[in-house]
Amino acid sequence: MARTYNTLWPQFLEWSNWRLAYQRCRRRKRFQPAAVAFDFEWEAGLSQLRRELAEGTYQPGTYRHFTIHEPKERLISAAPFRDRIVHHALVNILEPLFERRFIHDSYACRRGKGTHAAIARAQQYLRCHAWYLKTDIVKFFPSIDHECLLQRVAKVVTDPHIVGLLRLLLSTGVEALPEAPPRHYFPGDDLFAILRPRGLPIGNLTSQFLANVFLDPVDHFIKEQLRVPGYVRYCDDLLLFGESKAEMWRVVDCLRERLAGVRLRLHADKTQVAPCAVGVKFLGFRVLPHGLRMTRQGVQRFVRRRRRQQRRFARGELTAHEVSLSIAAWLAHARRACAPGLRRDLLSQCTLSRRRVRSPSARPSTGSGEQPGADATAQSLPATGRAATPPAANPAQPPTDVPDIADAMPKRNPVDGRDSSRPAPGKPPPPLGASLPLE
């Protein structure tokens, strides 16, 4: 019989747990207004949170909603900063208890995993098997049933205070969802099944963690009962491998029946069985047995983001350093694909120009009726990524340099193939953004 834990509440309220939760919550967000406000008196804020939880008076705040459109439209619900600290403190306690029960090939929201590890594992299975099955779950996060989830948690955690806090977070998360997907009746449902609470807000750390807890029995069912030789899961994206097409379709029927037991459904339009030799589109790449390719959608997303950044830079809303960091992050992601020519072509178009406004006193008078202080023309850039020949300089306003991000492309040494833009071993690296001369 699996071990259960019923004395986690004192460990949850320990000061060391809350300090660690606060440090992880403010990581990479320390300059946001909510984090700065809490940081002003963070010790008093943590003490107040612990006191409210110990006395049973804690109530989560109001969620902030915003929509993202890439790779597809999703509604993100962001909890207040102090509530996110509670989420981290709770996951600090629960994660070690469930992590040892998860299978190896679950890669979402786990330390040492991630998208690149999932892609490498999928590529390994593509080389070893003949057929694959790719599928996902219909409206996964909005469809997670709360009672099924709590039953799964209760098999490991029986502390009433921890379970009560989970119920409180789940109920406030349902209230944060503006609209739920259409109800679907499963075999054995009665008329009251429509009242079952369901849904997790996308954006909480607890939602990502509880999604892994919810699908963990399905993972063990696939590996231990169906005996599928190859299986990779990233959140609700499932990738299974086998030796025959008929075997994969039999797995689809068994998996559909097993998911109905936890009130989930497979997406019929996104369920496909294909030979491993043709590759599979997975997590933003076209994964082949012996290579990776960028997908058309991924390239188009980068081009749209680059154009938005160029417009914002021209208006003065972004600095050159911020643009260079964004492009460097995309390069680190895209460098895993076998597409050096594509990266070079895209970078050749990454030029920045900023409109110049001349003062009325410095502008020569013209008879065209232009008003003083109007917007001056921006320097035009050809498709090669190099700045065009600048116009005649105005002695009262020297022209500004137009930076060229194409110069940031790594230069390969023809002898050993090493990236000459990187420092030699033993030498300190250049400061961040030094490779992109975007002052």
Side-chain angles (χ1 to χ4, degrees):
M1 183 177 178
R3 180 183 176 183
T4 59
Y5 301 85
N6 58 359
T7 57
L8 298 175
W9 190 248
Q11 183 181 355
F12 172 72
L13 292 179
E14 286 182 0
W15 178 257
S16 59
N17 178 44
W18 284 90
R19 181 167 183 172
L20 177 62
Y22 169 63
Q23 292 172 348
R24 289 179 174 176
C25 185
R26 71 194 291 264
R27 186 179 301 166
R28 293 186 293 272
K29 298 179 177 64
R30 57 182 300 184
F31 297 114
Q32 293 184 358
V36 172
F38 193 93
D39 189 59
F40 185 69
E41 294 183 346
W42 64 273
E43 292 178 324
L46 292 183
S47 299
Q48 177 67 21
L49 272 175
R50 294 172 67 241
R51 188 180 309 111
E52 292 178 5
L53 286 162
E55 297 173 354
T57 59
Y58 168 74
Q59 289 296 326
T62 304
Y63 280 77
R64 177 177 60 89
H65 304 283
F66 59 94
T67 303
I68 62 174
H69 302 276
E70 294 180 357
K72 65 180 182 180
E73 185 171 324
R74 287 190 179 97
L75 179 67
I76 307 299
S77 302
F81 185 80
R82 69 191 304 265
D83 292 341
R84 297 202 296 271
I85 298 177
V86 177
H87 300 169
H88 278 270
L90 186 60
V91 171
N92 289 345
I93 301 301
L94 297 182
E95 187 178 36
L97 310 181
F98 286 93
E99 179 67 28
R100 65 192 68 170
R101 292 168 168 80
F102 293 159
I103 67 171
H104 175 76
D105 288 324
S106 172
Y107 289 90
C109 197
R110 295 178 63 188
R111 289 186 176 89
K113 304 291 184 176
T115 57
H116 294 153
I119 291 171
R121 186 66 163 175
Q123 191 175 46
Q124 176 185 352
Y125 282 135
L126 284 173
R127 291 193 289 261
C128 299
H129 302 284
W131 292 83
Y132 72 83
L133 162 66
K134 180 188 176 185
T135 184
D136 70 353
I137 300 173
V138 177
K139 299 291 184 182
F140 175 56
F141 280 98
S143 301
I144 293 180
D145 187 82
H146 289 186
E147 289 304 320
C148 295
L149 175 59
L150 291 173
Q151 289 174 8
R152 169 60 187 160
V153 173
K155 293 182 178 180
V156 180
V157 178
T158 57
D159 190 309
H161 296 90
I162 297 292
V163 175
L165 179 58
L166 277 175
R167 286 186 179 274
L168 176 63
L169 296 178
L170 291 176
S171 61
T172 54
V174 170
E175 297 172 0
L177 297 175
E179 59 182 10
R183 295 279 180 174
H184 181 81
Y185 285 92
F186 294 89
D189 282 352
D190 53 18
L191 294 177
F192 295 99
I194 196 174
L195 302 178
R196 296 176 67 103
R198 57 175 184 155
L200 297 178
I202 302 177
N204 286 351
L205 176 64
T206 51
S207 299
Q208 309 295 327
F209 169 72
L210 293 175
N212 283 335
V213 173
F214 192 72
L215 287 182
D216 182 58
V218 179
D219 296 338
H220 286 278
F221 171 77
I222 293 174
K223 296 290 292 184
E224 299 167 6
Q225 298 188 31
L226 297 182
R227 300 287 183 177
V228 175
Y231 172 58
V232 177
R233 180 178 67 82
Y234 189 90
C235 198
D236 63 331
D237 292 329
L238 284 66
L239 200 56
L240 298 85
F241 300 86
E243 302 306 327
S244 68
K245 184 177 182 179
E247 175 190 355
M248 292 289 94
W249 284 115
R250 283 195 299 269
V251 169
V252 172
D253 297 333
C254 298
L255 186 57
R256 185 178 289 113
E257 181 179 355
R258 179 63 180 86
L259 288 175
V262 290
R263 309 184 67 81
L264 294 176
R265 295 179 296 145
L266 285 182
H267 206 302
D269 297 337
K270 297 183 180 181
T271 299
Q272 59 175 344
V273 175
C276 291
V278 302
V280 57
K281 188 184 296 184
F282 188 56
L283 300 180
F285 287 93
R286 166 65 68 174
V287 186
L288 300 171
H290 299 283
L292 294 177
R293 294 289 185 268
M294 296 292 297
T295 62
R296 181 186 300 272
Q297 294 83 357
V299 175
Q300 290 175 346
R301 285 196 297 270
F302 171 74
V303 172
R304 288 194 296 267
R305 182 168 63 250
R306 173 183 57 80
R307 290 173 178 172
R308 287 196 301 267
Q309 291 175 343
Q310 287 174 329
R311 291 192 295 267
R312 294 184 62 189
F313 179 84
R315 295 194 298 265
E317 299 175 1
L318 284 179
T319 64
H321 181 66
E322 292 172 337
V323 177
S324 66
L325 290 180
S326 175
I327 294 178
W330 183 84
L331 280 177
H333 173 72
R335 194 168 285 126
R336 294 179 175 269
C338 305
L342 175 63
R343 294 197 302 269
R344 188 179 302 110
D345 291 342
L346 292 176
L347 281 177
S348 66
Q349 305 171 23
C350 294
T351 55
L352 301 177
S353 62
R354 181 164 289 172
R355 293 182 178 273
R356 299 188 304 242
V357 179
R358 292 181 291 186
S359 61
S361 59
R363 173 170 303 173
S365 60
T366 60
S368 59
E370 293 183 356
Q371 297 180 1
D375 185 28
T377 58
Q379 193 168 355
S380 60
L381 302 176
T384 59
R386 302 293 178 181
T389 303
N394 184 3
Q397 179 70 31
T400 59
D401 293 334
V402 180
D404 185 6
I405 303 179
D407 295 335
M409 277 297 296
K411 311 300 189 299
R412 296 291 177 181
N413 191 318
V415 177
D416 56 4
R418 186 178 61 83
D419 187 354
S420 59
S421 63
R422 299 184 179 181
K427 293 184 178 181
L432 184 62
S435 61
L436 302 181
L438 305 180
E439 297 297 329

